[in-house]
Amino acid sequence: MLDIDRSNVPAHIAIIMDGNGRWAKKQGQERVFGHRHGVEAVRSVIEGAGEIGVKYLTLYAFSTENWNRPKAEVDALMNLLVQAINNELDGLMKNQVRLRVIGDMGSLPEKCRTGLQYAIGKTSGNKGLCLVLAISYSSKWECVEMVKKISKSVKDNVLDIDKITAETISDNMSTAGIPDPDILIRTGGECRVSNFLLWQLAYTELFFSPIMWPDFRKQDLWEIISNFQNRERRFGKTGEQVKKK
Ligand code: FPP
């Protein structure tokens, strides 16, 4: 398992799973074929993260903007999400994985919402990896919701406007209680963040992999973690200050 330092495992890894469509098209297949094979990569990465003790794994499964894709692809993705959750549920239970969803659950088709709610309830007592699925999620949507919640607290005199801190904002995001990601991985060769966790990524180490998501496996994840462990995270300090610690 490469040379991963078990005393310095990232607590939270976030992944933009990109490249499904291009992977499928390259083989003369419909884009949905790529999404279906993407589930194998999801399984491998959940196992790989759990095996080395990562606490949170956030996967960008469907963005607010993805609703603008052709209806057939949106429908297929929603069905695939429900199917994958149903099929993987036993495995999630066996591996003690706890499921959490961030995003606008209210916008999901009934079947998808109830399937996710069932899996969230069933896995809620698990003590291993927390798998956070971002579904119908975008960072700007999340920020608007956060502003509404905080404004309401101020309006209702529950919160003093001068007491608002960065922590107040984090506590009113859908990721409340989850540490900010140590690592963001985007597969598929594009180098952008695509409206994902913009507040939470302030000091995250970014990795852009050329591998298309359906080909990504736990070994690729471990290679990135090993590389991460050789980076110096300074959080605004100087290199000398960090080394002295
Ligand atoms: C981006 O690739 C991928 C998606 C929009 C969907 C990801 C969904 C899965 C892997 C399905 C299952 C997920 C879970 C969590 C069970 P793209 O279509 O934008 O690829 P392209 O850039 O090549 O067009």
Side-chain angles (χ1 to χ4, degrees):
M1 195 190 288
L2 280 151
D3 52 342
I4 291 181
D5 171 2
R6 295 298 196 108
S7 69
N8 180 25
V9 171
H12 184 181
I13 298 176
I15 307 185
I16 302 177
M17 310 180 287
D18 196 20
N20 293 349
R22 281 167 286 155
W23 183 89
K25 285 283 165 195
K26 207 169 166 201
Q27 300 174 58
Q29 300 279 354
E30 294 299 320
R31 297 174 52 81
V32 175
F33 180 78
H35 297 317
R36 265 189 229 117
H37 281 270
V39 178
E40 290 157 33
V42 169
R43 191 181 305 125
S44 177
V45 161
I46 293 173
E47 278 173 18
E51 278 167 36
I52 61 158
V54 172
K55 292 204 165 56
Y56 296 90
L57 176 68
T58 301
L59 301 179
Y60 205 3
F62 192 87
S63 73
T64 309
E65 290 76 21
N66 286 154
W67 289 113
N68 299 322
R69 291 193 174 193
K71 187 177 180 308
E73 184 172 342
V74 171
D75 291 348
L77 269 167
M78 289 297 142
N79 287 332
L80 188 61
L81 275 168
V82 188
Q83 263 174 30
I85 294 297
N86 285 342
N87 293 343
E88 303 299 326
L89 200 49
D90 286 347
L92 296 182
M93 292 305 291
K94 209 177 96 202
N95 291 305
Q96 284 292 303
V97 177
R98 193 167 75 256
L99 182 67
R100 177 162 165 178
V101 172
I102 57 171
D104 184 6
M105 286 273 268
S107 67
L108 300 176
E110 173 76 24
K111 205 170 82 177
C112 195
R113 194 169 51 245
T114 49
L116 285 167
Q117 268 156 357
Y118 177 74
I120 291 169
K122 176 118 180 153
T123 61
S124 63
N126 289 347
K127 299 279 179 265
L129 173 78
C130 178
L131 171 65
V132 184
L133 292 184
I135 305 179
S136 193
Y137 171 90
S138 79
S139 200
K140 290 193 176 183
W141 166 82
E142 180 184 42
C143 288
V144 170
E145 294 303 304
M146 174 271 293
V147 169
K148 284 185 192 165
K149 274 197 245 169
I150 293 180
S151 307
K152 186 164 187 316
S153 298
V154 171
K155 190 172 148 221
D156 294 348
N157 290 319
V158 178
L159 179 64
D160 179 346
I161 200 161
D162 294 323
K163 295 265 160 59
I164 295 175
T165 61
E167 203 182 344
T168 317
I169 293 178
S170 294
D171 290 348
N172 283 280
M173 292 291 199
S174 53
T175 48
I178 301 177
D180 289 344
D182 300 292
I183 296 180
L184 170 77
I185 302 169
R186 183 183 184 128
T187 62
E190 311 280 9
C191 299
R192 54 178 169 259
V193 179
S194 297
N195 214 350
F196 190 43
L197 302 174
L198 300 179
W199 170 262
Q200 297 87 340
L201 293 181
Y203 273 105
T204 300
E205 296 292 324
L206 309 182
F207 290 84
F208 297 99
S209 167
I211 301 173
M212 297 290 144
W213 179 250
D215 286 333
F216 199 84
R217 289 293 177 272
K218 59 172 120 174
Q219 289 76 10
D220 302 305
L221 177 75
W222 291 337
E223 196 178 322
I224 288 173
I225 294 172
S226 168
N227 186 331
F228 160 84
Q229 292 181 330
N230 290 319
R231 287 195 188 178
E232 182 182 69
R233 300 182 81 191
R234 292 197 289 277
F235 298 98
K237 294 185 176 170
T238 66
E240 289 72 23
Q241 285 177 304
V242 171
K243 279 190 192 78
K244 226 186 267 171
K245 195 175 61 143

